[in-house]
C-alpha cells in the first residue's frame, strides 16, 4: 500500500530501551530438571526467580531473547490503574473480586520495587502519579463514577479537573504512588537475578512440543529435550492450552513511537478513555544504544486491533502526525509494535494441570498482572496455590460468553478464508517492495511477499497453529494470524507463538511450475 510522505521520519524500528546484551547459550542435549519455565518475558523471569529463591532447580527456555518480546516492548507503566476498570469489575464480578484485583495489583508495585532494590536492577524505576483523562461529557461521568468506586476499594484515587496532556480535558483521575520503568531492563535484570540464585537460562531455544508422560513432562526443542517434574508455560499464548486461553482471550496489537518535543515532557503518564485510545509517558534514554542520554522523550501508544486487521504503517504515521500537531514533536526517534492477550472477562487466567501451569490474559497490564501471575504460578509448583478469582477454572460471566462467541465466529471466518479465495486473490500477483498478499491456488492459499529489494518469498498462508489464514503486516514485514496472534517472518520462521512449526515453503504463483 502506498502512503503519502509522513511529516517526520519514523526513526529506528525498536523500543528505546536497554540493549539485550549477550545471549545465554541455547540448550544442548538431553537432561532432567525439577522445573522448566518456557518464556523469557516478565512472567517467566519472575517465576524463575521466585522458584530459584525457594531452592528449586529451574531451567528457563526462551525462543528468542529474554526481554525481547511483549514485556520488553511495553510502555513500562507499573500501576494499579488499568483504564476505567474498577466500576466494570464491581458490576461484572462483585465487590470482593474488584477489591482483590485492586489490592493484588497495588501490592505488585511494592513487589517490583523490592526486587529492584534487592538485586540492584538498573531499570530507571521512578515514582509517578498515573492519570486517566476524558475528553467528552460522557467520559467525565464515567471517571466520576470510577473515582468513587476506586476510593471504596482502597486505591489512591483522586478526581481532578485536568491531566498531563495538551488537550482540554473534561475530567481526570489520578492514582498516586505508582511507578514506571524500563521494562526490558527490568525483565533482563530479573532473569539475571534468577541465574544468580541458581537458575539456568537458555535463549534462542524454541520449544516445539510439551508432552506429559509417566508422571513427568517432556519439553522438546530443536537442540535437546528436558524432562521435568513441572513446566510453567509463560508465553504470551500458552501452548498446549491448559487454561482455555484460546477461547477466553483474544490477541490485540499496539503501536508506539518515541519522540523528542520542543517543550518539557509531563512527568506523569496519562491514558485516554474516550476518543482515540492514546497512552503517553515521559522517557529519558539511559544509554547511547537507546538513542542518547539525558534527552527527554515522549512515548505515545495507540492500541485496539486484532493482528493483521489494520495497516500498522498508517497507524505509526497517524501517531507521528499527532505528536507533531498536539505535542510539538521535533522528530520521531523510535517506533515499534507489541501484542498482548485480552481477557474476555477482564481478569487474567492463571492455572493449569497438576504438572503443567500457565498464565495469560493480562489485557495490556502485564507489569503488575504478570508479577501477580508469577507469584501464583510459583505457589502452584510448590503445591500451595491459594484460591484466587484469577483461577482459570472459574466460569465466565454472560458478557464474557458473548465475547467468546464473537471470537469463535471470527476464528471461523479466518478458517473459512483458506477455502474461499479472496476477491482477485487468484495468482499470479505483482508485488511492490515491502508488499505481501495471500494468493488462492488449487493446493491452498499461498502467502507471497517481496522485500525492499524486490526479492520474493512464498510460504503456506495457513497458520500451523490451528489453521487460520495469515495476513501481511507491512510495518513489521511479517505474516500475522488474527485468530490467536502467531507471527511469522517472510520465509515462514516463527516470530511469536502459539505456533510451534514454521510456515512451509510453497511455489510462488508468479513463477512457472518446474
Amino acid at each position: 500500500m502506498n502512503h503519502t510522505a509522513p511529516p517526520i521520519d519514523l526513526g529506528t524500528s525498536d523500543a528505546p530501551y536497554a540493549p539485550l546484551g549477550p545471549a545465554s547459550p541455547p540448550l544442548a542435549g538431553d537432561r532432567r530438571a525439577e522445573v522448566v519455565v518456557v518464556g523469557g518475558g516478565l512472567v517467566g523471569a519472575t517465576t524463575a526467580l521466585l522458584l530459584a529463591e525457594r531452592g528449586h532447580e529451574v531451567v528457563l527456555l526462551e525462543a528468542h531473547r529474554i526481554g525481547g518480546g511483549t514485556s520488553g516492548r511495553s510502555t513500562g507503566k507499573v500501576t494499579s490503574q488499568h483504564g476505567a476498570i474498577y466500576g466494570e469489575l464491581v458490576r461484572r464480578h462483585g465487590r470482593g473480586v474488584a477489591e482483590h484485583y485492586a489490592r493484588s495489583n497495588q501490592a505488585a508495585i511494592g513487589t517490583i520495587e523490592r526486587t529492584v532494590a534487592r538485586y540492584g536492577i538498573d531499570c530507571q524505576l521512578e515514582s509517578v502519579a498515573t492519570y486517566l483523562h476524558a475528553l467528552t461529557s460522557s467520559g467525565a461521568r464515567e471517571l466520576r463514577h470510577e473515582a468513587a468506586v476506586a476510593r471504596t476499594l482502597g486505591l489512591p484515587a483522586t478526581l481532578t479537573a485536568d491531566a498531563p496532556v495538551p488537550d482540554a480535558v473534561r475530567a481526570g483521575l489520578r492514582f498516586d504512588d505508582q511507578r514506571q520503568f524500563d521494562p526490558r531492563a527490568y525483565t533482563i535484570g530479573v532473569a539475571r537475578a534468577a541465574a544468580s540464585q541458581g537458575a539456568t537460562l537458555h535463549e534462542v531455544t524454541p520449544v516445539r512440543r510439551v508432552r506429559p508422560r509417566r508422571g513427568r513432562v517432556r519439553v522438546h526443542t530443536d537442540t535437546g529435550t528436558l524432562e521435568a517434574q513441572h513446566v510453567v508455560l509463560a508465553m504470551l499464548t500458552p501452548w498446549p492450552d491448559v487454561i482455555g486461553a484460546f477461547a477466553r482471550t483474544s490477541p490485540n496489537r499496539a503501536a508506539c513511537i518515541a519522540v523528542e518535543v520542543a517543550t518539557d515532557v509531563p512527568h506523569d503518564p496519562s491514558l485516554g478513555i474516550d476518543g482515540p485510545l492514546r497512552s503517553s509517558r515521559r522517557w529519558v534514554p539511559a544509554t547511547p544504544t537507546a538513542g542518547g542520554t539525558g534527552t527527554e522523550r515522549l512515548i505515545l501508544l495507540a492500541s485496539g486491533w486484532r493482528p493483521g486487521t489494520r495497516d500498522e504503517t498508517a497507524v505509526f504515521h497517524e501517531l507521528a502526525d499527532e505528536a507533531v500537531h498536539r505535542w510539538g514533536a521535533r522528530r520521531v526517534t523510535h517506533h515499534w509494535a507489541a501484542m498482548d492477550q485480552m481477557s474476555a472477562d477482564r481478569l487474567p487466567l492463571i492455572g493449569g494441570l497438576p504438572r503443567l501451569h500457565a498464565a495469560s490474559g493480562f489485557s495490556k497490564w502485564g507489569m503488575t498482572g504478570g508479577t501477580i501471575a508469577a507469584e501464583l504460578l510459583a505457589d502452584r509448583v510448590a503445591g500451595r496455590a491459594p484460591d484466587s478469582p484469577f483461577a482459570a477454572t472459574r466460569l465466565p460471566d454472560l458478557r464474557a460468553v458473548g465475547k467468546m462467541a464473537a471470537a469463535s465466529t471470527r476464528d471461523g471466518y479466518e478458517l473459512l478464508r483458506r477455502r474461499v479465495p479472496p476477491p482477485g486473490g487468484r495468482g499470479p500477483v505483482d508485488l511492490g517492495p515491502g508488499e505481501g498478499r495471500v494468493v488462492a491456488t488449487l493446493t491452498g492459499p499461498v502467502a507471497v511477499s517481496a522485500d525492499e529489494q524486490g526479492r520474493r518469498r512464498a510460504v503456506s498462508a495457513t497458520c500451523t497453529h490451528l489453521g487460520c489464514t495469515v495476513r501481511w503486516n507491512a510495518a513489521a514485514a511479517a505474516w500475522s494470524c488474527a485468530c490467536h496472534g502467531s507471527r511469522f517472518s517472510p520465509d515462514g520462521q516463527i516470530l511469536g507463538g502459539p505456533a510451534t512449526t514454521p510456515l512451509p515453503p510453497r511455489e510462488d504463483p508468479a513463477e512457472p511450475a518446474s
Side-chain angles (χ1 to χ4, degrees):
M1 179 176 180
N2 295 322
H3 300 279
T4 58
I8 50 179
D9 185 80
L10 293 177
T12 302
S13 179
D14 189 20
Y17 299 137
L20 293 173
S24 302
L27 178 69
D30 302 335
R31 57 168 290 191
R32 288 194 170 200
E34 183 185 359
V35 186
V36 173
V37 177
V38 183
L42 183 140
V43 176
T46 307
T47 303
L49 173 59
L50 293 173
L51 289 170
E53 287 177 337
R54 299 175 188 181
H56 295 280
E57 180 198 17
V58 183
V59 177
L60 186 151
L61 305 178
E62 164 56 39
H64 302 288
R65 298 299 307 280
I66 291 171
T70 293
S71 295
R73 301 172 75 84
S74 80
T75 56
K77 295 181 181 180
V78 183
T79 177
S80 58
Q81 189 186 68
H82 297 172
I85 191 175
Y86 290 103
E88 180 181 351
L89 290 179
V90 170
R91 288 193 304 272
R92 296 179 65 174
H93 302 290
R95 184 164 299 276
V97 170
E99 286 178 345
H100 183 88
Y101 187 99
R103 185 172 60 253
S104 299
N105 281 278
Q106 191 65 30
I109 298 172
T111 300
I112 288 171
E113 192 160 45
R114 288 189 296 274
T115 302
V116 169
R118 178 178 180 183
Y119 293 101
I121 299 174
D122 183 9
C123 61
Q124 297 176 262
L125 183 70
E126 60 178 336
S127 179
V128 294
T130 59
Y131 283 78
L132 301 178
H133 63 268
L135 305 179
T136 64
S137 56
S138 60
R141 286 194 299 272
E142 183 178 2
L143 282 190
R144 286 193 289 270
H145 175 68
E146 182 73 5
V149 172
R151 284 193 295 268
T152 67
L153 299 176
L155 290 164
T158 303
L159 192 68
T160 68
D162 57 7
V165 293
D167 309 289
V169 304
R170 295 293 188 94
L173 177 58
R174 186 181 74 237
F175 275 29
D176 293 312
D177 195 29
Q178 310 296 291
R179 305 289 186 274
Q180 62 186 17
F181 62 7
D182 178 335
R184 185 181 294 166
Y186 177 76
T187 302
I188 294 171
V190 170
R192 289 173 177 167
S196 76
Q197 298 297 306
T200 302
L201 313 180
H202 294 294
E203 296 177 88
V204 199
T205 305
V207 170
R208 302 303 186 189
R209 186 171 55 169
V210 177
R211 185 176 62 173
R213 183 181 180 186
R214 298 176 183 174
R216 297 178 69 86
V217 184
R218 280 195 171 183
V219 179
H220 298 263
T221 77
D222 294 337
T223 53
T225 300
L226 283 167
E227 191 170 281
Q229 296 178 27
H230 295 271
V231 171
V232 175
L233 304 170
M235 306 100 86
L236 185 63
T237 308
W239 181 253
D241 185 12
V242 295
I243 56 174
F246 297 150
R248 299 166 71 175
T249 67
S250 59
N252 190 279
R253 293 283 287 176
C256 297
I257 60 172
V259 303
E260 291 181 353
V261 297
T263 59
D264 291 339
V265 179
H267 181 264
D268 298 324
S270 194
L271 172 65
I273 68 163
D274 50 12
L277 297 179
R278 297 293 187 263
S279 171
S280 61
R281 68 155 289 190
R282 172 179 171 270
W283 173 251
V284 181
T287 66
T289 304
T293 58
T295 303
E296 285 188 335
R297 307 285 168 83
L298 174 75
I299 290 178
L300 295 176
L301 173 144
S303 66
W305 62 92
R306 291 174 72 90
T309 61
R310 286 193 66 180
D311 180 348
E312 291 185 6
T313 301
V315 177
F316 287 127
H317 291 170
E318 181 181 331
L319 277 174
D321 186 69
E322 288 185 21
V324 169
H325 293 98
R326 290 178 57 228
W327 292 89
R330 294 183 297 192
R331 71 182 183 108
V332 176
T333 62
H334 296 75
H335 70 281
W336 69 101
M339 187 163 62
D340 205 343
Q341 291 295 120
M342 308 297 288
S343 170
D345 65 1
R346 301 298 297 269
L347 301 175
L349 293 165
I350 304 167
L353 302 176
R355 296 186 180 276
L356 271 173
H357 319 275
S360 186
F362 304 118
S363 302
K364 298 192 179 295
W365 299 104
M367 301 297 101
T368 55
T371 301
I372 295 166
E375 292 172 327
L376 291 173
L377 290 168
D379 284 343
R380 281 182 57 87
V381 170
R384 57 174 186 267
D387 291 335
S388 168
F390 308 147
T393 52
R394 68 179 182 269
L395 295 175
D397 64 358
L398 290 178
R399 186 173 175 183
V401 170
K403 287 187 175 182
M404 290 160 60
S408 296
T409 300
R410 285 193 297 267
D411 291 353
Y413 165 73
E414 294 296 330
L415 287 166
L416 185 64
R417 288 179 68 231
R418 45 181 305 212
R419 295 172 175 82
V420 179
R426 290 196 179 277
V429 61
D430 292 328
L431 295 173
E435 292 184 341
R437 194 172 306 169
V438 173
V439 182
T441 72
L442 294 177
T443 57
V446 176
V448 187
S449 63
D451 63 19
E452 293 301 328
Q453 288 72 45
R455 294 187 294 266
R456 294 166 65 105
R457 293 181 175 86
V459 295
S460 170
T462 301
C463 180
T464 55
H465 173 222
L466 290 178
C468 297
T469 304
V470 298
R471 302 169 185 238
W472 180 245
N473 181 347
W479 295 103
S480 298
C481 175
C483 288
H484 305 109
S486 296
R487 298 173 59 247
F488 305 89
S489 66
D491 61 357
Q493 297 304 305
I494 298 168
L495 299 176
T500 59
T501 304
L503 298 175
R506 292 287 185 265
E507 286 189 358
D508 188 333
E511 301 294 335
S514 56

